[in-house]
Amino acid sequence: MALIVQKYGGTSVGSVERIKNVARRIAKWQNAGHQVVVVVSAMSGETNRLIALAKEIQKNPDPRELDVIASTGEQVTIGLLAMALQNLGVPARSYTGTQVRVLTDNAFTKARIKEIDSHRIMADLNDGKVVIVAGFQGCDEEGNITTLGRGGSDTSAVALAAALHADECLIFTDVDGIYTTDPRVVSDARKLDVVAFEEILEMASLGSKVLQIRSVEFAGKYRVPTRVLSSLTDPDIPVDEEANSGTLITFEEDPKMEKVVVSGIAFSRNEAKITLPHVPDTPGIAYKILGHIAEANIEVDMIVQNAAKNGLTDFSFTVSRNDLDKAMKVLEKEVTPYLGEEGILTDASIAKISCVGIGMRSHAGVAAKMFRILAEENINIKMISTSEIRTSIVVDEKYMELAVRALHKAFGLDKATKAMEL
Amino acid sequence: MALIVQKYGGTSVGSVERIKNVARRIAKWQNAGHQVVVVVSAMSGETNRLIALAKEIQKNPDPRELDVIASTGEQVTIGLLAMALQNLGVPARSYTGTQVRVLTDNAFTKARIKEIDSHRIMADLNDGKVVIVAGFQGCDEEGNITTLGRGGSDTSAVALAAALHADECLIFTDVDGIYTTDPRVVSDARKLDVVAFEEILEMASLGSKVLQIRSVEFAGKYRVPTRVLSSLTDPDIPVDEEANSGTLITFEEDPKMEKVVVSGIAFSRNEAKITLPHVPDTPGIAYKILGHIAEANIEVDMIVQNAAKNGLTDFSFTVSRNDLDKAMKVLEKEVTPYLGEEGILTDASIAKISCVGIGMRSHAGVAAKMFRILAEENINIKMISTSEIRTSIVVDEKYMELAVRALHKAFGLDKATKAMEL
């Protein structure tokens, strides 16, 4: 007997029929002798509907009151799923975040979980019940309703799994696991059976949308074995089969994994590059430029400063493409005194490609191999940045697919796990 | 400065525009220096939508889980109204039943309020805030969400007014007060400025839908001055004018009221009469017949047993017309041994008409006057029942309007309050 936390997102519970299917899947685990705690999102579209309603009243809705409204989406789903389980003869009981209670700070609309009371849930589990918890929500010390922000149900699930010392946290979603890269771009993309926590963290931060990044951080902090798997399979497939499907996120330094240098390739079109050529190479120049950008709440990703020549340097950084106009307005207003003759250059047709792999830690040469492969394809590299387990480059957007496919093949990601040549 | 509880029903908050109007109305009271606590229902149609969703999953939804779902309707409204007030510069804060907390028993879907914690509300009021509370809901000792049943928001409002020792409870609705009878039947029907608690209680029990009967009981128990008034007037009409509009329910033995014998005439088409002729007149015969009806959860209204003749008696009672088939099935199964030759007689084309008035207590003769007036109109009376402040009769449905109009005129209800001749 294991204690399993299962999370189902908005698409998985998007209709009465789908909720019934989710109930069948849960009943199967319960009937196999496991204790099951379920975390659900609002039915797909419901959170957007509620937020749109709030915005009809207030253009920038009051965060406390927005959370009161938005949290009702999950509250409806928990009740419906409890009923669907009861229909199958499975005793089930629903809890809102307040009822559990999932204690958070009071940062409405983006609250962070501080503590989860596992008392009532454990009592129900030991009583043979399936426990259903509303994802995305909690309450602060004063009992105000809070929400965790978009994708917060993943975090709810992982946090509950940590609090309950669950054997595994299953994140059911509309993909069947985590892939070496986006299968829509590379047809040879391969599902990973296992991925290291640090790798998924880098991939999530790079925009791969499988898991919310805070849930991954939570999983890492409390070492919660977390599995991403499909909710679109036949709900009645055997438990053993389902338990081994998808992709498991691990925290062990698996000897097998040592051999893999690059586990996945992430990419993003959502980038824009800003270059300030020939600015004075004086201490604090980076702060003078980026300080204003940060104040305007614009996130900066890659930053490159070239070696100085004649006391002048080229300073480049990337921002989200949506923020380019806003960033340019800030720069034009604030940094004109530091600018060289060429003014500010922008490039909104770039893409970022990242090779991610925990094996990089002990292998130099990934960057060199990347550059060689791209050179062979005649693709010019515009920016480079690296972390311990990631090497990212920026290229012309039009070369993105070509570059991703070439790297995917060169790092052997199209083949089953094997030792990688550099 | 007064402490006022205001209640707005589903129609009054049925759209974003209407919520904004409600906010204007509340802001006006706040700006006039009053402390305002607002109780709101779900936006019209929302509770029905939620219950229909639940029924798609479970034909007879689990009551605990149904309350989890149904209570979200009011939760959305409180957030929206708080935002609408903030837009007008009025500080406002919303609370669910659980947050207040409105403690109830655990009779899900028809819970009764046991206690209300006024602590947080009073703190907010003294802090200059308008407090918005979700009607219709509370929580039990264990923190399970409960609802009070249809129309429960009226009860929430009156109970809150009692707990807060409010100066008045204003029930805003889509009519402008309580009338001597239904204006759709009698064009001369007149709005009452004042009505006694006992009278409104009888009228509510007779099916007049202005106030939920449990809210009236609550108002009576705690002597909460309660006013029914329109939410369809211009939201900006002066506070003084609004404060004196509608109909006030009083608990004082107003000397002025002594003079009025009949305050209103209620009627209902929703009745059916069942007669068991020539049953044995033995002790317990009423119980033998009605016991089975009660067990089947069918409510019996009027009961008449004639004087016995030759050890046999005619036994008649009325049930809701919707329950007639169900009642007949029970009777055919259970009481056949007691039946006379004629079997069971039914009449589904009857109507009940009731004259209600606290003045009846000290005036005999209302019944006699009723019978005389109906005789003058050649209307046959089929059943009679009386209480301390009510006289009800059953007539053929086709005479209902005629009878109501004749009685309304004969008791002088078309004229401003004046002494009544008998």
Side-chain angles (χ1 to χ4, degrees):
Chain A
M1 187 187 78
L3 198 170
I4 305 291
V5 173
Q6 303 188 354
K7 182 260 173 177
Y8 294 91
T11 315
S12 305
V13 295
S15 68
V16 165
E17 271 326 298
R18 287 185 179 182
I19 290 172
K20 287 179 179 171
N21 275 339
V22 165
R24 273 167 68 195
R25 204 176 287 276
I26 296 164
K28 177 183 69 183
W29 282 79
Q30 166 91 349
N31 292 335
H34 300 296
Q35 294 185 318
V36 189
V37 174
V38 185
V39 174
V40 285
S41 302
M43 295 171 79
S44 52
E46 194 57 13
T47 305
N48 286 341
R49 183 185 74 84
L50 291 165
I51 291 174
L53 194 59
K55 287 191 172 169
E56 273 189 71
I57 300 260
Q58 225 175 10
K59 212 170 170 187
N60 294 304
D62 178 81
R64 180 188 183 276
E65 302 301 336
L66 186 59
D67 279 358
V68 168
I69 295 167
S71 61
T72 62
E74 286 72 21
Q75 190 170 326
V76 170
T77 321
I78 57 172
L80 295 176
L81 182 55
M83 290 177 182
L85 277 162
Q86 291 170 2
N87 274 355
L88 301 176
V90 177
R93 207 171 169 82
S94 76
Y95 293 100
T96 63
T98 301
Q99 287 177 321
V100 164
R101 74 175 186 161
V102 176
L103 184 68
T104 70
D105 60 21
N106 65 357
F108 297 113
T109 76
K110 47 180 190 291
R112 285 179 173 266
I113 297 176
K114 292 165 74 175
E115 198 181 285
I116 293 180
D117 183 352
S118 59
H119 179 258
R120 286 180 84 170
I121 296 177
M122 287 312 301
D124 279 346
L125 289 177
N126 292 333
D127 201 27
K129 291 194 181 78
V130 167
V131 175
I132 302 161
V133 177
F136 175 68
Q137 61 182 251
C139 68
D140 69 8
E141 298 272 5
E142 291 175 10
N144 297 307
I145 295 168
T146 56
T147 70
L148 311 179
R150 285 278 158 167
S153 291
D154 288 344
T155 307
S156 301
V158 174
L160 263 168
L164 298 166
H165 307 288
D167 294 284
E168 209 167 275
C169 180
L170 306 184
I171 308 284
F172 284 92
T173 176
D174 51 2
V175 295
D176 65 352
I178 295 165
Y179 275 70
T180 51
T181 193
D182 188 337
R184 286 169 300 187
V185 168
V186 182
S187 58
D188 285 339
R190 201 170 39 76
K191 183 176 77 66
L192 295 162
D193 291 330
V194 177
V195 67
F197 152 70
E198 294 92 335
E199 291 170 335
I200 192 77
L201 200 58
E202 284 283 7
M203 289 181 196
S205 71
L206 294 168
S208 285
K209 289 286 170 48
V210 176
L211 278 175
Q212 201 223 9
I213 190 155
R214 272 167 56 198
S215 72
V216 181
E217 289 167 0
F218 230 100
K221 188 167 172 192
Y222 296 99
R223 304 179 76 82
V224 179
T226 302
R227 185 179 293 274
V228 175
L229 69 175
S230 173
S231 70
L232 304 178
T233 56
D234 174 3
D236 300 323
I237 65 163
V239 165
D240 286 349
E241 192 180 318
E242 188 154 273
N244 289 299
S245 69
T247 301
L248 179 67
I249 302 171
T250 60
F251 307 93
E252 313 300 327
E253 287 279 345
D254 189 336
K256 183 180 76 182
M257 298 183 66
E258 289 275 319
K259 296 174 194 157
V260 188
V261 177
V262 173
S263 295
I265 296 174
F267 52 85
S268 161
R269 276 187 184 84
N270 182 31
E271 310 281 326
K273 181 183 166 193
I274 297 174
T275 302
L276 288 71
H278 304 116
V279 290
D281 183 26
T282 52
I285 184 71
Y287 170 72
K288 275 181 189 141
I289 296 168
L290 296 182
H292 297 295
I293 297 287
E295 270 166 35
N297 270 319
I298 298 168
E299 263 186 64
V300 169
D301 182 14
M302 292 165 79
I303 303 167
V304 174
Q305 188 175 340
N306 289 353
K309 216 160 99 180
N310 305 328
L312 296 173
T313 184
D314 294 345
F315 188 88
S316 295
F317 59 96
T318 61
V319 297
S320 160
R321 207 172 283 180
N322 296 328
D323 284 336
L324 180 58
D325 285 351
K326 196 171 154 196
M328 284 303 290
K329 280 201 188 105
V330 171
L331 292 173
E332 279 159 8
K333 188 171 162 218
E334 304 287 354
V335 306
T336 313
Y338 315 112
L339 288 184
E341 282 176 12
E342 291 157 87
I344 305 173
L345 310 177
T346 63
D347 186 352
S349 58
I350 58 167
K352 183 172 66 168
I353 300 170
S354 304
C355 292
V356 176
I358 204 163
M360 283 189 202
R361 277 184 188 151
S362 48
H363 285 81
V366 170
K369 181 163 175 175
M370 279 181 83
F371 306 156
R372 172 166 61 77
I373 291 156
L374 296 177
E376 283 167 11
E377 301 288 345
N378 274 321
I379 299 170
N380 189 35
I381 298 172
K382 302 186 151 199
M383 287 176 99
I384 299 168
S385 97
T386 59
S387 77
E388 205 184 358
I389 65 162
R390 174 179 57 80
T391 302
S392 300
I393 52 148
V394 165
V395 299
D396 245 343
E397 186 181 0
K398 65 183 169 193
Y399 296 125
M400 191 190 75
E401 283 91 346
L402 174 62
V404 170
R405 284 189 203 112
L407 292 168
H408 193 263
K409 187 151 191 286
F411 284 107
L413 294 176
D414 51 342
K415 294 163 199 139
T417 312
K418 59 150 208 170
M420 207 63 47
E421 294 162 41
L422 280 175
Chain B
M1 186 186 76
L3 198 169
I4 304 290
V5 174
Q6 302 189 354
K7 182 258 172 180
Y8 294 91
T11 314
S12 305
V13 294
S15 68
V16 165
E17 269 327 296
R18 287 185 180 183
I19 290 172
K20 288 179 178 172
N21 274 340
V22 165
R24 272 168 68 194
R25 204 176 288 276
I26 296 164
K28 176 184 68 184
W29 283 77
Q30 166 91 350
N31 292 335
H34 299 296
Q35 294 185 318
V36 188
V37 174
V38 185
V39 174
V40 284
S41 302
M43 294 171 79
S44 52
E46 194 55 15
T47 304
N48 286 341
R49 183 185 73 84
L50 291 165
I51 291 174
L53 194 59
K55 287 192 171 169
E56 273 189 71
I57 299 259
Q58 223 175 13
K59 212 170 168 186
N60 295 303
D62 177 81
R64 180 189 183 278
E65 302 301 337
L66 186 60
D67 280 358
V68 168
I69 294 168
S71 61
T72 62
E74 285 73 21
Q75 191 171 324
V76 170
T77 321
I78 57 172
L80 295 176
L81 183 56
M83 290 176 182
L85 278 162
Q86 291 170 3
N87 274 355
L88 301 177
V90 177
R93 208 171 169 83
S94 76
Y95 293 100
T96 63
T98 301
Q99 288 177 322
V100 164
R101 75 177 188 162
V102 176
L103 183 69
T104 71
D105 60 21
N106 65 357
F108 297 113
T109 77
K110 47 179 190 291
R112 283 177 175 267
I113 296 175
K114 292 164 75 175
E115 199 181 285
I116 292 179
D117 182 353
S118 59
H119 178 258
R120 287 181 83 171
I121 296 176
M122 286 312 301
D124 279 346
L125 289 177
N126 292 334
D127 201 27
K129 292 194 180 78
V130 166
V131 175
I132 302 161
V133 177
F136 175 67
Q137 60 182 252
C139 68
D140 69 8
E141 298 271 4
E142 292 175 10
N144 297 306
I145 296 168
T146 56
T147 70
L148 312 180
R150 287 277 158 167
S153 292
D154 289 344
T155 307
S156 301
V158 175
L160 264 167
L164 298 166
H165 307 288
D167 294 286
E168 208 167 276
C169 179
L170 306 184
I171 308 283
F172 284 92
T173 177
D174 51 2
V175 296
D176 66 351
I178 295 166
Y179 275 72
T180 51
T181 193
D182 187 337
R184 286 169 299 186
V185 169
V186 182
S187 58
D188 285 339
R190 202 170 39 77
K191 183 175 77 66
L192 295 163
D193 293 329
V194 177
V195 67
F197 152 69
E198 295 91 336
E199 290 170 334
I200 192 76
L201 199 60
E202 285 283 6
M203 288 182 198
S205 72
L206 294 168
S208 286
K209 288 287 169 48
V210 176
L211 278 175
Q212 201 222 11
I213 189 157
R214 273 167 54 199
S215 72
V216 181
E217 289 167 2
F218 231 101
K221 189 168 171 191
Y222 296 99
R223 304 179 77 82
V224 179
T226 302
R227 185 179 294 273
V228 175
L229 69 174
S230 174
S231 69
L232 303 178
T233 55
D234 174 3
D236 300 322
I237 65 164
V239 165
D240 285 351
E241 192 179 320
E242 188 155 271
N244 289 299
S245 69
T247 301
L248 179 67
I249 302 171
T250 59
F251 307 93
E252 312 300 326
E253 287 279 346
D254 189 337
K256 181 181 77 182
M257 298 182 67
E258 289 276 318
K259 296 174 193 155
V260 187
V261 178
V262 173
S263 296
I265 297 174
F267 53 84
S268 162
R269 277 185 182 87
N270 181 31
E271 310 280 326
K273 180 183 168 194
I274 298 174
T275 302
L276 287 71
H278 303 117
V279 291
D281 183 28
T282 53
I285 184 70
Y287 171 72
K288 274 178 189 143
I289 296 167
L290 296 182
H292 297 294
I293 297 286
E295 270 166 34
N297 270 320
I298 299 168
E299 263 187 62
V300 170
D301 182 15
M302 293 166 78
I303 303 167
V304 175
Q305 188 176 341
N306 289 353
K309 215 158 100 180
N310 304 328
L312 295 174
T313 183
D314 294 345
F315 188 89
S316 295
F317 59 95
T318 61
V319 296
S320 160
R321 207 173 283 180
N322 295 328
D323 285 336
L324 179 58
D325 285 352
K326 195 171 156 196
M328 285 304 289
K329 280 200 189 104
V330 170
L331 293 173
E332 277 158 10
K333 188 172 162 220
E334 302 287 353
V335 308
T336 313
Y338 316 112
L339 289 184
E341 280 174 16
E342 292 158 85
I344 305 173
L345 310 177
T346 64
D347 186 353
S349 58
I350 59 167
K352 183 173 67 168
I353 299 169
S354 303
C355 293
V356 176
I358 206 161
M360 284 189 203
R361 277 183 188 150
S362 49
H363 286 81
V366 170
K369 180 163 175 177
M370 277 180 84
F371 308 154
R372 173 167 59 78
I373 291 155
L374 295 177
E376 283 167 12
E377 301 288 344
N378 272 321
I379 299 170
N380 189 32
I381 298 172
K382 300 184 153 204
M383 288 174 96
I384 299 167
S385 96
T386 58
S387 77
E388 206 184 358
I389 65 162
R390 173 180 57 80
T391 303
S392 300
I393 52 147
V394 165
V395 299
D396 245 341
E397 185 181 359
K398 64 184 169 192
Y399 297 125
M400 192 190 77
E401 283 90 346
L402 174 62
V404 171
R405 284 188 203 113
L407 291 168
H408 192 265
K409 185 151 195 284
F411 283 106
L413 294 176
D414 50 342
K415 292 163 201 140
T417 313
K418 59 150 209 169
M420 208 61 48
E421 294 162 42
L422 280 174

